[in-house]
Amino acid sequence: MTYKAEYIWIDGTEPTAKLRSKTKVLADGAEPSLWGFDGSSTNQATGHSSDLVLKPVFTCPDPIRGGDNVLVMCEVLHTDMTPHASNTRAPLVEVAERFAEQDSWFGIEQEYTFFKEGRPLGFPLGGFPAPQGGYYCGVGADEVFGRDIVELHLDRCLAAGLAISGINAEVMPGQWEFQVGPAGPLEVGDHMWVARWLLYRTAEEFDVAATLDPKPVKGDWNGAGAHTNFSTKAMREGYEPIITACEALADNAMEHVKNYGHGIEDRLTGHHETAPWDKFSYGVSDRGASVRIPWQVEVDKKGYIEDRRPNANVDPYVVARLMVDTCCTALEKAGQV
């Protein structure tokens, strides 16, 4: 007897990497192991030295094929087993281990947009729908587009055992969001990348494309982000560490912004519930700030913060590494651990 393992990895496409996958048939009882691929076809190697290695790092049930079949998230290595330059998970491992005692938690809000025949679902041919606003968390065929895909994607994420915690329709027609978390730094990235793969694969069955473009429609329409909620054990127990984390993010603002996804200047304009990309701010209950402190957190004097800057196309491994490194370093220095 055999089963199928779908090996998933992040390629080397720039400025925004893509997901790739291929299927390996394994004997029952055999664990997914190292597997090679042609890096010259994924923007990760040249033709004269094209062999690269897939290293399984996270495995879950395959909710599409069912049975004993699995999805396998992989890191990309060179043949000498060192991390490839496109492997953004490996640097996160080192940072996550260094600050493991601070017990970082993440929740990432993944916005995305459905496209069909070159326009967002719900956009009429050659024109525009009614202005945004009524579509957010809407109901009815005149306000919601793509719900059948979204519901199937949610069911598949749950069947795969991913840490998905919710879905909602967003501000623009054809725009949706799902949330992954709470989860640790590595878990949130592994689960998010697999959830993205399941989103693309599910939409494929409906002849629809799902895009993480941070500004899918120019003009007076919301962009698409990946708001990142973050806390450490100290932040979940007191308010001073929350302010320390916000101040640390202020001190490292530009390093974060330049790694928060291609096209961030188009989305972080100071309009449409964003702060300008080149001006850092934080505030309580302020969705126009770079970092929001939820009102309940101020009331309780403990909790978490929401970094509203990451684009929908951000690499979750990168945002987790930056958040942990910046905030945990500052908290350690302040003795707030």
Side-chain angles (χ1 to χ4, degrees):
M1 299 293 290
T2 59
Y3 72 98
K4 302 169 193 170
E6 189 72 14
Y7 280 58
I8 302 167
W9 74 97
I10 305 163
D11 77 359
T13 301
E14 294 180 347
T16 301
K18 297 181 179 181
L19 282 170
R20 308 280 184 139
S21 70
K22 62 175 183 170
T23 307
K24 189 171 189 178
V25 178
L26 296 168
D28 279 354
E31 292 294 323
S33 57
L34 298 178
W35 197 19
F37 74 98
D38 172 17
S40 68
S41 297
T42 62
N43 302 308
Q44 290 169 297
T46 57
H48 70 274
S49 182
S50 63
D51 287 340
L52 291 175
V53 178
L54 297 175
K55 173 190 174 184
V57 293
F58 169 69
T59 302
C60 66
D62 184 340
I64 298 175
R65 288 172 169 152
D68 293 328
N69 302 303
V70 295
L71 302 178
V72 184
M73 189 68 206
C74 301
E75 287 187 15
V76 176
L77 308 178
H78 293 287
T79 54
D80 64 0
M81 300 300 115
T82 59
H84 187 269
S86 64
N87 181 344
T88 54
R89 189 181 188 275
L92 170 60
V93 172
E94 186 275 324
V95 172
E97 290 177 350
R98 178 154 39 101
F99 294 107
E101 291 185 1
Q102 293 200 40
D103 194 18
S104 298
W105 291 1
F106 285 87
I108 300 180
E109 306 168 26
Q110 177 68 72
E111 295 177 342
Y112 60 92
T113 310
F114 288 133
F115 269 74
K116 189 176 179 66
E117 298 176 347
R119 62 186 186 276
L121 284 186
F123 273 57
L125 182 64
F128 291 90
Q132 65 181 26
Y135 309 103
Y136 174 71
C137 295
V139 63
D142 58 337
E143 292 189 340
V144 175
F145 308 92
R147 192 186 295 276
D148 47 355
I149 310 173
V150 171
E151 291 289 343
L152 181 55
H153 174 249
L154 174 61
D155 288 343
R156 286 175 169 176
C157 286
L158 291 170
L162 303 182
I164 191 164
S165 49
I167 58 171
N168 61 268
E170 269 300 332
V171 173
M172 191 180 80
Q175 194 175 66
W176 291 81
E177 174 183 302
F178 66 86
Q179 302 93 36
V180 170
L186 291 165
E187 182 184 26
V188 77
D190 293 341
H191 288 216
M192 179 60 78
W193 277 115
V194 173
R196 286 175 172 180
W197 186 89
L198 283 170
L199 175 65
Y200 301 144
R201 180 63 180 76
T202 300
E204 179 185 313
E205 297 174 14
F206 294 80
D207 195 26
V208 168
T211 175
L212 305 186
D213 189 322
K215 191 66 175 179
V217 179
K218 307 301 181 185
D220 194 20
W221 299 95
N222 271 32
H227 301 157
T228 300
N229 301 285
F230 172 78
S231 69
T232 65
K233 183 175 184 291
M235 294 166 68
R236 295 188 292 274
E237 295 175 351
Y239 198 69
E240 285 188 9
I242 288 172
I243 300 303
T244 298
C246 289
E247 291 292 342
L249 291 170
D251 292 339
N252 294 274
M254 295 313 298
E255 179 188 2
H256 283 245
V257 165
K258 72 181 183 181
N259 288 288
Y260 274 4
H262 178 69
I264 202 160
E265 298 91 343
D266 294 332
R267 175 176 151 265
L268 297 185
T269 61
H271 303 288
H272 304 111
E273 298 182 291
T274 69
W277 67 270
D278 57 349
K279 295 181 181 178
F280 182 88
S281 60
Y282 68 90
V284 175
S285 197
D286 186 356
R287 282 180 165 76
S290 307
V291 172
R292 179 179 69 96
I293 301 173
W295 69 271
Q296 191 64 49
V297 171
E298 186 186 43
V299 171
D300 295 341
K301 298 301 179 186
K302 61 182 179 180
Y304 67 97
I305 57 175
E306 177 195 39
D307 192 334
R308 297 180 57 80
R309 297 170 296 169
N311 272 351
N313 59 358
V314 75
D315 182 338
Y317 294 139
V318 172
V319 72
R321 174 178 58 80
L322 289 170
M323 291 288 285
V324 170
D325 201 4
T326 293
C327 297
C328 291
T329 296
L331 291 167
E332 186 176 77
K333 186 176 180 179
Q336 297 171 334
V337 296

